[in-house]
Amino acid sequence: DEVPRDPVAIAVALADKLDTLVGFWAIDEKPTGSKDPYALRRAALGVIRIILENGVRLPLLQQVRAQLPNDTKQKDAVAQNLLDFFADRLKVYLRDQGARHDLIDAVFALGGQDDLLMVVARVEALGRFLETDDGANLLAGTKRAENILRIEEKKDGRSFEGEADPALLTEPEEKALFAAIGPARETATAAVAREDFAGAMEALAGLRPPVDAFFDKILVNADDPALRENRLKLLSAIPAATAAVADFSKIAG
């Protein structure tokens, strides 16, 4: 279908397609498997194309909630389910454009991502970042941290989230990582807030050297229980920092 370009036609087309989708979701009539008698997948793809090809900023979750009838049961759950449907359709659309579906998952996994234009901008910036040595190595380091934490948390039956104690940092490499993580996370978060996704990735790139050095020199499972716990808390700060831009656990590699 041809995508409208005139502002009035854009508004009318968006309202019409969203009204159709919201109406069917309100009565719990959704596509299942290969069955889609009311062409709802096509309607969602139409919304996506209108938004992306015209650069439309639209908070979809807010829009869907506003259009749902007041007597809709579990209104927030219905709105979220429709947003998830848009996310699935967006994956199909972007995959056809050559984008990686795992990067889309990594961005949507953060929650609250209902501005499709910004989702795509973040996915594109993330893709470019991961093609660099810094990006690829930081991804590998983050996944290594997550794997160690998963094993040790299962072993201990507890989480190691929380701030590491700087007084228990004994080696230069762990001190350097501790010093780097906070500023990198803050800079990346601020960059995302102003929609500077390239700047956010650049901030995270600065973590690559201290993360590499930490894994090269530091024994995480130290004999001293206090040191071990502190180092595991320090490890947990790595995925917490990268979560400023995406959930790296969703990324293949």
Side-chain angles (χ1 to χ4, degrees), residues 99-114:
R100 289 168 47 181
H101 67 86
D102 58 329
L103 302 190
I104 303 166
D105 285 337
V107 171
F108 270 114
L110 298 178
Q113 306 298 313
D114 70 340

Side-chain angles (χ1 to χ4, degrees), residues 28-210:
D28 198 25
E29 187 72 47
K30 297 171 280 192
T32 55
S34 61
K35 295 180 180 178
D36 186 11
Y38 304 107
L40 300 180
R41 292 188 179 99
R42 185 176 177 181
L45 181 59
V47 170
I48 289 166
R49 288 188 62 203
I50 291 169
I51 286 173
L52 298 185
E53 294 181 29
N54 288 293
V56 176
R57 302 295 302 272
L58 179 68
L60 270 177
L61 203 55
Q62 179 182 322
Q63 186 68 33
V64 168
R65 280 199 192 106
Q67 289 187 223
L68 279 168
N70 289 329
D71 60 352
T72 304
K73 292 181 180 178
Q74 297 182 309
K75 195 170 183 177
D76 286 348
V78 172
Q80 184 59 52
N81 186 269
L82 181 49
L83 182 63
D84 293 342
F85 182 71
F86 274 112
D88 287 338
R89 292 297 90 202
L90 180 64
K91 284 183 217 172
V92 173
Y93 175 82
L94 292 180
R95 190 168 60 231
D96 290 343
Q97 312 292 317
R100 289 168 47 181
H101 67 86
D102 58 329
L103 302 190
I104 303 166
D105 285 337
V107 171
F108 270 114
L110 298 178
Q113 306 298 313
D114 70 340
D115 183 335
L116 300 188
L117 204 61
M118 290 301 98
V119 168
V120 172
R122 192 184 293 218
V123 167
E124 289 173 347
L126 183 58
R128 288 192 294 270
F129 176 56
L130 294 174
E131 288 172 357
T132 67
D133 286 343
D134 283 342
N137 280 287
L138 183 59
L139 174 64
T142 303
K143 286 189 171 291
R144 186 173 175 184
E146 289 170 337
N147 287 335
I148 293 171
L149 286 163
R150 192 177 302 115
I151 292 167
E152 299 308 314
E153 287 177 347
K154 184 176 181 181
K155 186 191 300 180
D156 289 22
R158 54 162 295 195
S159 168
F160 289 100
E161 291 180 1
E163 287 290 322
D165 182 352
L168 292 175
L169 302 172
T170 61
E171 303 299 325
E173 291 80 12
E174 58 184 340
K175 291 178 180 178
L177 180 57
F178 180 83
I181 282 180
R185 183 175 56 219
E186 289 172 13
T187 302
T189 301
V192 166
R194 62 176 184 271
E195 299 174 357
D196 176 13
F197 302 118
M201 305 300 164
E202 185 180 340
L204 291 185
L207 285 178
R208 184 256 177 110

Side-chain angles (χ1 to χ4, degrees), residues 2-23:
E2 188 174 341
V3 173
R5 303 296 179 186
D6 175 75
V8 174
I10 289 169
V12 170
L14 276 176
D16 179 58
K17 293 179 189 301
L18 281 172
D19 190 56
T20 298
L21 287 159
V22 168

